[in-house]
Amino acid sequence: QESARGELEKRQEAIDQLVKPVKESLEKFDVRVREIETARIGAYKSLSEQVRILIESQNQLRSETSNLVRALRAPVVRGRWGEIQLKRVVEMAGMLEHCDFFQQESVSTEAGRLRPDLLVRLPGKKSIIVDAKAPLEAYLDAQEAETEQKRLERLREHARQVRSHLKTLSMKAYWDQFDSVPEFVVLFLPGENFFSAALEQDPALIEAGVDQKVIIATPTTLIALLRAVAYGWRQEVLAENAQKISDLGRELYKRIAAMAGHWARVGNGLSTAVKSYNQAVGSLESRVLVSARRFKELEAAAENSDIAPLEPVEHQVRRLSSEEFYAGEDAEEADEGEGRVLSVGS
């Protein structure tokens, strides 16, 4: 029994040695599982908070969208939004309000007061009229439709309203009320989606607009149109500057010619002065100084008071050979005949 008991204890110790690493691994695994569970609970709480915030944002967005839709249903608000979009498009195209276009310009007619939303000035005193009063109510109804059939019905109504607005806009005949306006008007739709939805239901909408002298424009196409107009204005300014430069060059050449005439007369005056000086020196040497030197021979002059000899000026004034120097004399005479004198300072 003692021998068996000792053998059993040895086996027990051996089993303990074998089981001990497994026990330690299980303990570590249990700790790690607890850490993961704690992290999972924290992550779940954070995810729940994020979902809650997302739900609140979605509800707020839905509420704001509903408010926006209700606001856009009001004609005044919808018209103001279209005008803001139109002004933004014009600014993006580089057509600034104070130089190239006018907003809210109106004219009184027999049928009432016509008020285009935009009057774009073109080079050559021409203009293009843009109207932004587009019907959008049916399109907004289509976005809120609960069924696909209802949505298609409202989109077809949207296309019909756009076509009807084309006819109404054509009947206003802006080109008969404003001077130098081409026989068409631009209908501005403040979004690409409004035009694409109407065109999808009524593919002949573009042809109908052209027939009624109404061009449908979205922000993209209107920007392209206004950029072309801005390019025309830049070319007009360049042409005006070129003409001013030509006039300035012609005037400058005329003044340079007049100044050259002055220089020619200065040269002639210097030549005359040199000639007169040489004649005076010759007369002084041959007639005056000969007699004056005799005072020294007669000891009637002070000592060390010799009369220095006078040399004639041999240098000649350079002759001006360019014809502009002599054409300037005629130019100056013509200017004096007109009652004005061109000077170097002018």
Side-chain angles (χ1 to χ4, degrees):
Q1 290 178 352
E2 290 178 357
S3 177
R5 187 182 298 110
E7 190 69 24
L8 182 61
E9 290 177 354
K10 290 179 180 181
R11 290 182 180 182
Q12 185 68 34
E13 292 177 358
I15 292 173
D16 290 340
Q17 294 296 326
L18 292 174
V19 175
K20 184 177 181 181
V22 177
K23 179 182 178 182
E24 293 177 353
S25 298
L26 290 176
E27 290 177 351
K28 293 179 180 179
F29 179 76
D30 183 64
V31 173
R32 184 59 179 167
V33 168
R34 292 179 181 276
E35 293 176 353
I36 293 175
E37 182 64 18
T38 302
R40 186 190 66 79
I41 294 174
Y44 180 77
K45 291 182 179 179
S46 177
L47 180 61
S48 300
E49 182 66 19
Q50 294 294 330
V51 171
R52 185 186 64 80
I53 295 175
L54 181 61
I55 293 174
E56 292 179 355
S57 300
Q58 184 68 20
N59 292 333
Q60 185 178 3
L61 179 61
R62 184 182 295 107
S63 176
E64 295 296 333
T65 303
S66 300
N67 294 335
L68 178 61
V69 170
R70 284 194 298 270
L72 289 177
R73 290 184 184 279
V76 176
V77 177
R78 186 167 63 246
R80 181 57 182 163
W81 176 67
E83 293 172 0
I84 293 174
Q85 288 289 94
L86 183 60
K87 185 175 181 180
R88 177 58 180 160
V89 166
V90 173
E91 291 176 351
M92 292 174 62
M95 297 286 287
L96 300 179
E97 183 175 0
H98 64 276
C99 62
D100 291 338
F101 70 96
F102 301 88
Q103 281 185 315
Q104 303 303 330
E105 185 165 321
S106 59
V107 62
S108 298
T109 63
E110 297 179 357
R113 192 170 185 83
L114 299 180
R115 184 182 61 85
D117 295 287
L118 186 66
L119 184 62
V120 182
R121 301 292 184 183
L122 301 177
K125 298 181 179 180
K126 304 294 183 180
S127 303
I128 293 179
I129 292 179
V130 180
D131 191 287
K133 305 175 188 68
L136 304 177
E137 185 174 356
Y139 179 84
L140 297 176
D141 291 339
Q143 302 306 310
E144 296 180 348
E146 298 179 355
T147 62
E148 182 65 17
Q149 182 179 0
K150 184 68 173 178
R151 189 181 73 85
L152 292 176
E153 290 178 358
R154 300 312 298 166
L155 287 178
R156 283 192 288 269
E157 177 64 19
H158 170 63
R160 189 194 63 78
Q161 289 180 357
V162 173
R163 179 181 281 268
S164 176
H165 187 67
L166 291 177
K167 184 178 180 181
T168 302
L169 195 58
S170 177
M171 293 175 61
K172 292 183 178 180
Y174 282 110
W175 46 86
D176 292 335
Q177 314 302 329
F178 290 86
D179 297 332
S180 301
V181 174
E183 291 189 1
F184 70 88
V185 63
V186 177
L187 171 60
F188 175 69
L189 296 178
E192 308 289 337
N193 50 333
F194 302 128
F195 181 53
S196 60
L199 194 62
E200 182 179 356
Q201 302 300 322
D202 189 356
L205 201 58
I206 297 178
E207 291 80 359
V210 173
D211 293 339
Q212 297 178 12
K213 301 179 181 180
V214 179
I215 307 300
I216 302 177
T218 60
T220 302
T221 54
L222 187 59
I223 287 175
L225 174 63
L226 294 179
R227 281 192 176 274
V229 175
Y231 177 78
W233 274 112
R234 288 194 296 269
Q235 295 301 314
E236 182 75 9
V237 172
L238 289 177
E240 292 179 357
N241 291 341
Q243 183 61 39
K244 291 179 181 178
I245 291 172
S246 177
D247 296 340
L248 181 61
R250 188 180 298 108
E251 182 68 20
L252 179 61
Y253 182 84
K254 186 177 179 181
R255 295 187 178 190
I256 290 176
M259 187 178 66
H262 293 314
W263 282 109
R265 284 192 295 275
V266 169
N268 294 334
L270 289 176
S271 297
T272 303
V274 169
K275 184 178 179 180
S276 300
Y277 174 78
N278 289 337
Q279 291 176 352
V281 168
S283 177
L284 184 64
E285 286 283 357
S286 62
R287 295 182 177 274
V288 179
L289 295 183
V290 173
S291 300
R293 289 190 181 97
R294 294 186 64 186
F295 282 101
K296 188 173 183 180
E297 294 175 359
L298 298 174
E299 298 181 355
E303 296 181 357
N304 300 326
S305 60
D306 296 338
I307 298 176
L310 298 176
E311 299 293 337
V313 177
E314 301 294 340
H315 300 284
Q316 295 294 328
V317 177
R318 181 176 177 178
R319 181 67 178 174
L320 302 175
S321 59
S322 299
E323 60 181 7
E324 287 85 359
F325 288 93
Y326 303 101
E329 298 179 0
D330 299 335
E332 184 185 10
E333 292 176 358
D335 293 336
E336 291 176 354
E338 295 175 359
R340 60 187 180 90
V341 179
L342 293 176
S343 63
V344 177
S346 64

